[in-house]
Amino acid sequence: MPDAHRPRPDGTDEVDDRRLATIRSLLAKAEATEFPEEAEAFFNKASELIARFAIDEAVLWAARSTAREQPTEMRLVVHAPYVGQKAVLVGGVARAHGCRAIRFGAGSAREGEVIAIVGFPTDLRWVETLVTSLMVQLTSAMLARYPKGLSSSQSAGWRRSFIIGFAEEVGTRLQADREVAARDADAAHADARRGNQGEHSVSLVLVERSEEVRDEFRKRFPYTQTTRASTGGSRAGHHAGRAAGRDAALTRDAVGGRRTLPRGR
Protein backbone atom coordinates (compact mmCIF):
# COMPACT_ATOMS: atom_id res chain seq x y z
CA MET A 1 0.00 0.00 0.00
CA PRO A 2 1.42 3.41 -0.88
CA ASP A 3 2.60 5.56 1.99
CA ALA A 4 -0.02 7.85 3.50
CA HIS A 5 0.06 11.37 2.13
CA ARG A 6 1.99 13.80 4.32
CA PRO A 7 2.48 17.55 3.82
CA ARG A 8 5.98 18.38 2.62
CA PRO A 9 7.91 21.18 4.34
CA ASP A 10 9.29 22.46 1.01
CA GLY A 11 5.88 23.52 -0.29
CA THR A 12 5.74 20.96 -3.11
CA ASP A 13 2.20 19.95 -2.13
CA GLU A 14 0.97 23.30 -3.38
CA VAL A 15 2.89 22.83 -6.62
CA ASP A 16 1.40 19.35 -7.04
CA ASP A 17 -2.09 20.78 -6.59
CA ARG A 18 -1.52 23.34 -9.32
CA ARG A 19 -0.11 20.69 -11.63
CA LEU A 20 -3.07 18.44 -10.97
CA ALA A 21 -5.53 21.27 -11.69
CA THR A 22 -3.83 21.96 -15.02
CA ILE A 23 -3.87 18.32 -16.07
CA ARG A 24 -7.47 17.84 -15.02
CA SER A 25 -8.48 20.87 -17.06
CA LEU A 26 -6.75 19.53 -20.17
CA LEU A 27 -8.23 16.07 -19.75
CA ALA A 28 -11.71 17.38 -19.12
CA LYS A 29 -11.49 19.22 -22.44
CA ALA A 30 -10.15 16.09 -24.16
CA GLU A 31 -13.01 13.98 -22.86
CA ALA A 32 -15.70 16.61 -23.57
CA THR A 33 -14.93 17.47 -27.18
CA GLU A 34 -16.58 15.60 -30.05
CA PHE A 35 -13.67 16.25 -32.40
CA PRO A 36 -10.94 13.54 -32.37
CA GLU A 37 -8.18 15.92 -33.49
CA GLU A 38 -8.98 18.35 -30.69
CA ALA A 39 -9.19 15.57 -28.12
CA GLU A 40 -5.81 14.23 -29.25
CA ALA A 41 -4.22 17.67 -28.91
CA PHE A 42 -5.51 18.08 -25.35
CA PHE A 43 -4.44 14.56 -24.44
CA ASN A 44 -0.97 14.95 -25.92
CA LYS A 45 -0.38 18.04 -23.80
CA ALA A 46 -1.66 16.32 -20.66
CA SER A 47 0.49 13.24 -21.31
CA GLU A 48 3.53 15.45 -21.89
CA LEU A 49 2.97 17.21 -18.57
CA ILE A 50 2.52 13.93 -16.70
CA ALA A 51 5.82 12.61 -18.05
CA ARG A 52 7.59 15.87 -17.26
CA PHE A 53 6.29 15.92 -13.69
CA ALA A 54 7.38 12.33 -13.13
CA ILE A 55 10.91 13.17 -14.33
CA ASP A 56 10.99 16.28 -12.14
CA GLU A 57 10.09 14.15 -9.13
CA ALA A 58 12.88 11.71 -9.96
CA VAL A 59 15.42 14.55 -10.20
CA LEU A 60 14.31 15.95 -6.84
CA TRP A 61 14.64 12.47 -5.34
CA ALA A 62 18.23 12.19 -6.60
CA ALA A 63 19.13 15.59 -5.14
CA ARG A 64 18.13 14.55 -1.62
CA SER A 65 20.93 13.12 0.49
CA THR A 66 18.53 12.03 3.24
CA ALA A 67 14.84 11.27 3.70
CA ARG A 68 14.54 9.77 0.25
CA GLU A 69 11.32 7.92 -0.48
CA GLN A 70 11.73 4.17 -0.91
CA PRO A 71 9.99 1.74 -3.28
CA THR A 72 6.78 0.28 -1.93
CA GLU A 73 3.88 -1.86 -3.14
CA MET A 74 0.38 -1.17 -4.41
CA ARG A 75 -2.25 -3.78 -5.24
CA LEU A 76 -5.02 -3.51 -7.83
CA VAL A 77 -7.92 -5.85 -8.48
CA VAL A 78 -8.54 -6.58 -12.16
CA HIS A 79 -11.94 -8.01 -12.97
CA ALA A 80 -12.78 -10.80 -15.40
CA PRO A 81 -13.21 -11.36 -18.26
CA TYR A 82 -9.90 -11.22 -20.14
CA VAL A 83 -7.82 -10.77 -17.01
CA GLY A 84 -4.65 -11.96 -18.72
CA GLN A 85 -4.95 -9.38 -21.46
CA LYS A 86 -5.81 -6.60 -19.01
CA ALA A 87 -2.73 -7.57 -17.01
CA VAL A 88 -0.67 -6.75 -20.10
CA LEU A 89 -2.10 -3.23 -20.00
CA VAL A 90 -1.32 -2.86 -16.29
CA GLY A 91 2.21 -4.15 -16.83
CA GLY A 92 2.82 -1.77 -19.73
CA VAL A 93 1.70 1.27 -17.76
CA ALA A 94 3.83 0.15 -14.80
CA ARG A 95 6.96 -0.31 -16.93
CA ALA A 96 6.50 3.09 -18.55
CA HIS A 97 6.69 4.63 -15.07
CA GLY A 98 9.65 2.65 -13.77
CA CYS A 99 7.57 0.12 -11.81
CA ARG A 100 7.19 -3.67 -11.87
CA ALA A 101 3.96 -5.65 -11.82
CA ILE A 102 3.19 -9.24 -10.86
CA ARG A 103 -0.03 -11.24 -11.14
CA PHE A 104 -1.26 -13.27 -8.20
CA GLY A 105 -3.19 -15.64 -10.46
CA ALA A 106 -6.78 -16.73 -10.90
CA GLY A 107 -8.79 -16.81 -7.70
CA SER A 108 -6.72 -14.20 -5.89
CA ALA A 109 -9.76 -11.91 -5.97
CA ARG A 110 -13.46 -12.51 -6.40
CA GLU A 111 -14.34 -12.49 -10.11
CA GLY A 112 -10.81 -11.54 -11.08
CA GLU A 113 -7.29 -11.41 -9.72
CA VAL A 114 -4.91 -9.20 -7.81
CA ILE A 115 -1.95 -7.52 -9.47
CA ALA A 116 0.81 -6.11 -7.26
CA ILE A 117 2.91 -3.20 -8.50
CA VAL A 118 6.23 -2.25 -6.92
CA GLY A 119 7.64 1.23 -7.42
CA PHE A 120 8.24 4.60 -5.83
CA PRO A 121 5.11 6.18 -4.32
CA THR A 122 5.28 9.15 -6.69
CA ASP A 123 5.27 6.77 -9.65
CA LEU A 124 2.65 4.42 -8.22
CA ARG A 125 0.11 7.22 -7.98
CA TRP A 126 0.47 7.86 -11.71
CA VAL A 127 0.22 4.16 -12.52
CA GLU A 128 -2.94 3.71 -10.48
CA THR A 129 -4.55 6.78 -11.98
CA LEU A 130 -3.68 5.84 -15.54
CA VAL A 131 -4.74 2.21 -15.19
CA THR A 132 -8.06 3.14 -13.59
CA SER A 133 -8.83 5.59 -16.37
CA LEU A 134 -7.59 3.38 -19.18
CA MET A 135 -9.70 0.44 -18.06
CA VAL A 136 -12.81 2.61 -18.39
CA GLN A 137 -11.70 3.87 -21.79
CA LEU A 138 -10.81 0.36 -22.92
CA THR A 139 -14.31 -0.92 -22.17
CA SER A 140 -15.99 2.01 -23.91
CA ALA A 141 -13.76 1.79 -26.97
CA MET A 142 -14.16 -1.97 -27.24
CA LEU A 143 -17.95 -1.73 -27.15
CA ALA A 144 -17.98 1.11 -29.67
CA ARG A 145 -15.72 -0.67 -32.17
CA TYR A 146 -17.07 -4.18 -31.76
CA PRO A 147 -18.02 -5.63 -35.19
CA LYS A 148 -21.39 -7.27 -35.68
CA GLY A 149 -21.98 -10.84 -36.76
CA LEU A 150 -19.19 -12.60 -34.87
CA SER A 151 -19.63 -16.04 -33.36
CA SER A 152 -18.91 -16.57 -29.67
CA SER A 153 -15.39 -17.83 -30.32
CA GLN A 154 -14.69 -15.09 -32.85
CA SER A 155 -15.97 -12.48 -30.40
CA ALA A 156 -13.68 -13.70 -27.62
CA GLY A 157 -10.69 -13.74 -29.98
CA TRP A 158 -11.46 -10.26 -31.26
CA ARG A 159 -11.77 -8.85 -27.73
CA ARG A 160 -8.51 -10.42 -26.58
CA SER A 161 -6.71 -9.04 -29.62
CA PHE A 162 -8.31 -5.65 -29.10
CA ILE A 163 -7.08 -5.40 -25.50
CA ILE A 164 -3.55 -6.48 -26.47
CA GLY A 165 -3.46 -3.92 -29.28
CA PHE A 166 -4.78 -1.21 -26.98
CA ALA A 167 -2.20 -2.10 -24.32
CA GLU A 168 0.69 -2.08 -26.80
CA GLU A 169 -0.22 1.32 -28.20
CA VAL A 170 -0.76 2.94 -24.80
CA GLY A 171 2.47 1.50 -23.42
CA THR A 172 4.42 2.77 -26.43
CA ARG A 173 2.95 6.27 -26.08
CA LEU A 174 3.65 6.51 -22.37
CA GLN A 175 7.22 5.26 -22.76
CA ALA A 176 7.89 7.71 -25.60
CA ASP A 177 6.62 10.62 -23.51
CA ARG A 178 8.86 9.58 -20.61
CA GLU A 179 11.93 9.34 -22.86
CA VAL A 180 11.30 12.78 -24.36
CA ALA A 181 10.84 14.29 -20.89
CA ALA A 182 14.11 12.71 -19.73
CA ARG A 183 16.03 14.06 -22.72
CA ASP A 184 14.58 17.52 -22.23
CA ALA A 185 15.50 17.49 -18.53
CA ASP A 186 19.04 16.35 -19.35
CA ALA A 187 19.44 19.20 -21.82
CA ALA A 188 18.08 21.73 -19.35
CA HIS A 189 20.52 20.60 -16.64
CA ALA A 190 23.59 20.20 -18.86
CA ASP A 191 25.29 23.39 -17.63
CA ALA A 192 24.65 22.52 -13.99
CA ARG A 193 26.26 19.11 -14.45
CA ARG A 194 29.38 20.64 -15.96
CA GLY A 195 29.75 22.84 -12.88
CA ASN A 196 28.90 20.10 -10.41
CA GLN A 197 30.63 16.78 -10.87
CA GLY A 198 28.33 15.18 -8.31
CA GLU A 199 25.17 15.80 -10.34
CA HIS A 200 24.08 12.83 -12.45
CA SER A 201 22.20 12.78 -15.72
CA VAL A 202 18.49 11.98 -15.67
CA SER A 203 19.16 8.68 -17.40
CA LEU A 204 21.47 7.64 -14.57
CA VAL A 205 18.91 8.75 -11.99
CA LEU A 206 16.26 6.60 -13.68
CA VAL A 207 18.67 3.64 -13.76
CA GLU A 208 19.33 4.06 -10.04
CA ARG A 209 15.61 4.18 -9.27
CA SER A 210 15.01 1.19 -11.52
CA GLU A 211 17.63 -0.81 -9.64
CA GLU A 212 16.05 0.06 -6.30
CA VAL A 213 12.64 -1.01 -7.62
CA ARG A 214 14.15 -4.24 -8.93
CA ASP A 215 15.77 -5.02 -5.59
CA GLU A 216 12.55 -4.29 -3.69
CA PHE A 217 10.57 -6.41 -6.14
CA ARG A 218 12.92 -9.36 -5.68
CA LYS A 219 12.78 -8.96 -1.93
CA ARG A 220 9.00 -9.08 -1.93
CA PHE A 221 8.63 -11.69 -4.67
CA PRO A 222 11.74 -13.89 -4.76
CA TYR A 223 10.01 -16.71 -6.65
CA THR A 224 8.23 -15.72 -9.85
CA GLN A 225 7.44 -17.27 -13.19
CA THR A 226 6.63 -15.80 -16.57
CA THR A 227 3.08 -16.04 -17.88
CA ARG A 228 1.78 -15.23 -21.34
CA ALA A 229 -1.61 -13.86 -22.30
CA SER A 230 -3.35 -15.06 -25.45
CA THR A 231 -3.25 -12.48 -28.22
CA GLY A 232 -6.62 -13.71 -29.50
CA GLY A 233 -5.49 -14.29 -33.08
CA SER A 234 -7.70 -11.55 -34.56
CA ARG A 235 -5.79 -9.15 -36.79
CA ALA A 236 -8.83 -6.90 -37.09
CA GLY A 237 -9.27 -6.81 -33.32
CA HIS A 238 -5.60 -6.01 -32.79
CA HIS A 239 -5.72 -3.22 -35.36
CA ALA A 240 -8.86 -1.76 -33.77
CA GLY A 241 -7.29 -1.94 -30.31
CA ARG A 242 -4.17 -0.07 -31.41
CA ALA A 243 -6.35 2.58 -33.02
CA ALA A 244 -8.29 2.95 -29.77
CA GLY A 245 -5.03 3.16 -27.83
CA ARG A 246 -3.94 6.08 -30.00
CA ASP A 247 -7.18 7.86 -29.12
CA ALA A 248 -6.98 7.16 -25.39
CA ALA A 249 -6.90 10.01 -22.89
CA LEU A 250 -5.69 10.02 -19.30
CA THR A 251 -7.34 10.99 -16.05
CA ARG A 252 -6.07 11.17 -12.49
CA ASP A 253 -8.22 10.28 -9.50
CA ALA A 254 -7.50 9.71 -5.83
CA VAL A 255 -4.60 7.53 -4.76
CA GLY A 256 -5.24 4.61 -2.44
CA GLY A 257 -3.99 1.17 -1.56
CA ARG A 258 -5.78 -1.81 -3.00
CA ARG A 259 -8.20 -0.59 -5.63
CA THR A 260 -10.90 -2.31 -7.63
CA LEU A 261 -10.70 -1.45 -11.30
CA PRO A 262 -13.76 -0.99 -13.50
CA ARG A 263 -15.13 -4.15 -15.01
CA GLY A 264 -14.63 -4.99 -18.66
CA ARG A 265 -17.25 -6.45 -20.94
Side-chain angles (χ1 to χ4, degrees):
M1 177 181 296
D3 292 341
H5 181 76
R6 297 182 180 88
R8 299 176 184 175
D10 57 5
T12 52
D13 279 342
E14 183 178 350
V15 174
D16 286 345
D17 288 343
R18 290 199 299 268
R19 288 174 167 179
L20 178 55
T22 300
I23 290 174
R24 279 180 170 165
S25 176
L26 287 168
L27 295 173
K29 293 176 182 178
E31 294 171 359
T33 181
E34 298 178 358
F35 303 101
E37 295 82 4
E38 192 175 59
E40 183 177 3
F42 285 131
F43 161 72
N44 286 343
K45 184 59 178 178
S47 180
E48 174 190 335
L49 289 176
I50 290 171
R52 190 189 305 168
F53 297 161
I55 295 299
D56 287 347
E57 288 169 339
V59 172
L60 288 173
W61 172 86
R64 296 189 182 100
S65 58
T66 60
R68 279 184 171 185
E69 67 176 12
Q70 300 298 314
T72 185
E73 178 186 338
M74 171 179 70
R75 296 191 178 189
L76 305 176
V77 177
V78 179
H79 287 288
Y82 312 118
V83 171
Q85 291 72 33
K86 291 173 184 175
V88 174
L89 175 59
V90 175
V93 175
R95 283 192 300 275
H97 287 81
C99 303
R100 293 196 175 201
I102 184 171
R103 298 172 59 186
F104 277 64
S108 57
R110 182 177 297 178
E111 300 181 10
E113 72 176 49
V114 173
I115 297 180
I117 305 171
V118 175
F120 286 89
T122 50
D123 292 322
L124 290 176
R125 69 186 180 190
W126 289 114
V127 172
E128 180 189 16
T129 299
L130 290 171
V131 168
T132 302
S133 174
L134 288 168
M135 287 292 182
V136 174
Q137 295 179 62
L138 167 65
T139 300
S140 299
M142 190 160 55
L143 291 174
R145 297 170 189 253
Y146 179 75
K148 297 180 180 179
L150 298 182
S151 67
S152 296
S153 60
Q154 289 173 332
S155 175
W158 186 91
R159 291 172 187 269
R160 289 188 178 94
S161 295
F162 184 97
I163 298 171
I164 293 295
F166 184 91
E168 290 175 352
E169 187 65 32
V170 166
T172 298
R173 291 177 66 189
L174 293 175
Q175 187 62 49
D177 285 340
R178 184 177 176 88
E179 291 171 358
V180 169
R183 289 197 298 269
D184 289 347
D186 262 338
H189 291 85
D191 291 339
R193 283 199 305 277
R194 282 193 289 269
N196 182 2
Q197 297 299 319
E199 185 168 337
H200 299 301
S201 69
V202 174
S203 59
L204 289 178
V205 170
L206 295 180
V207 168
E208 183 181 355
R209 284 168 69 92
S210 177
E211 290 174 347
E212 291 205 19
V213 170
R214 178 201 61 196
D215 292 344
E216 183 66 21
F217 183 88
R218 290 177 175 173
K219 185 189 305 181
R220 291 173 182 263
F221 307 107
Y223 306 106
T224 63
Q225 61 183 15
T226 301
T227 61
R228 297 186 181 278
S230 169
T231 59
S234 171
R235 186 171 299 177
H238 186 266
H239 178 76
R242 291 197 71 103
R246 287 191 292 273
D247 295 339
L250 307 179
T251 58
R252 181 175 179 181
D253 298 313
V255 178
R258 175 164 165 169
R259 294 288 298 276
T260 299
L261 301 180
R263 296 173 182 269
R265 296 288 182 183

